[in-house]
Amino acid sequence: MRKKVIAGNWKMNKLPNETITFFEELAPLVKNTKNEVIICAPYTDLFYAILSAQNTNIKIGAQNMHWEENGAYTGEISPQMLKSIGVEYVIIGHSERRQYFAETDETVNKKVKAAHNVGLKPIVCVGETLSQRESGKAKEIVTNQIKSGLKDLTKNEIMSTIVAYEPIWAIGTGKTATKEDANETIKWIREELEKIYGKENADKVIIQYGGSVKSENAKELFEMSDIDGGLVGGASLKPDEFAKIVNAI
Ligand code: PGA
């Protein structure tokens, strides 16, 4: 039985003082959940988030990183830097990074491997645009992102990788994929993983849905057979709303 994993992606939001207040409010609201709860904060909030989440069941993730350990990469943050302050997860290949910062399946693959090398768990985002979906290419696009982005991982690595299926047309738009559509695509993703890593391993991989998840639709999405929780953007910024999503199931 796979666990449900609910991760908040704050994107470029919140200052350190807001981070501290957020955790004070969220922690008591989610303390009894059996689900895994993660907050992916901006770099400048991470250390405050780690301290605020001590003695709670909330885990901390970053939203990006470089694949190199160190070096002349002005403005970048390495996997080791994240690990050293207690970060456990890192979002890799979010569609906003693919769209605005030239992230490709190749860089995603390098980052995923680099994350595993230091024991960070990657949350790897895949998903199609509206025109790709309308032209019937969703399956091909998502399959390719999986094949290239998650290439050459060991079985242990794939089992500690989280995949987030986020149809790009559903991110921040208020449009959610229907629970049936989201479940169907997540099944394809699992089938693709099965071809590479075998059924036993593919069955253990957590695959989330992301794109306008909110308290009103969380339960019906998370109850689907293959949807193992959610990656939540806008609705993760308010502790009470995010707690309702975490506690939806
Ligand atoms: P949203 O964002 O929940 O605001 O649609 C999800 C995401 O981009 O991870």
Side-chain angles (χ1 to χ4, degrees), residues 9 11 94 96 166 170-173 210-213 231-235:
N9 172 14
K11 309 193 179 184
H94 190 279
E96 287 150 16
E166 300 204 302
I171 296 179
T173 57
S212 298
V213 175
L231 183 57
V232 185

Side-chain angles (χ1 to χ4, degrees), residues 47-77:
F47 197 59
Y48 299 92
I50 298 280
L51 294 180
S52 305
Q54 271 175 356
N55 305 318
T56 76
N57 54 341
I58 308 166
K59 309 272 199 284
I60 304 302
Q63 300 171 11
N64 179 41
M65 58 168 213
H66 198 277
W67 58 85
E68 292 289 350
E69 186 176 337
N70 50 43
Y73 301 101
T74 302
E76 291 293 325
I77 296 285

Side-chain angles (χ1 to χ4, degrees), residues 73-199:
Y73 301 101
T74 302
E76 291 293 325
I77 296 285
S78 76
Q80 284 75 3
M81 290 170 180
L82 296 177
K83 184 76 184 173
S84 72
I85 61 164
V87 170
E88 291 183 59
Y89 292 87
V90 57
I91 298 174
I92 304 284
H94 190 279
S95 61
E96 287 150 16
R97 296 214 57 86
R98 294 179 191 253
Q99 190 181 348
Y100 307 131
F101 303 100
E103 191 88 73
T104 63
D105 289 333
E106 200 185 354
T107 58
V108 166
N109 188 242
K110 284 185 184 176
K111 291 180 179 189
V112 171
K113 287 181 182 162
H116 283 303
N117 282 342
V118 298
L120 284 171
K121 292 184 194 151
I123 302 173
V124 183
C125 302
V126 297
E128 79 287 358
T129 62
L130 186 58
S131 65
Q132 288 164 341
R133 168 154 288 249
E134 283 172 346
S135 59
K137 292 217 174 87
K139 187 169 184 175
E140 183 189 328
I141 296 290
V142 173
T143 304
N144 279 337
Q145 289 172 337
I146 290 290
K147 272 197 206 148
S148 324
L150 301 181
K151 201 167 84 184
D152 298 334
L153 301 186
T154 65
K155 289 186 174 171
N156 281 339
E157 285 171 347
I158 195 66
M159 286 189 293
S160 50
T161 298
I162 295 177
V163 178
Y165 167 59
E166 300 204 302
I168 295 167
W169 47 272
I171 296 179
T173 57
K175 285 186 203 150
T176 325
T178 65
K179 57 186 198 293
E180 291 82 11
D181 274 350
N183 200 53
E184 187 63 25
T185 311
I186 289 179
K187 276 190 180 164
W188 299 338
I189 294 175
R190 207 176 295 288
E191 277 164 24
E192 217 40 58
L193 292 175
E194 191 179 320
K195 284 186 208 155
I196 315 172
Y197 297 103
K199 182 163 171 46

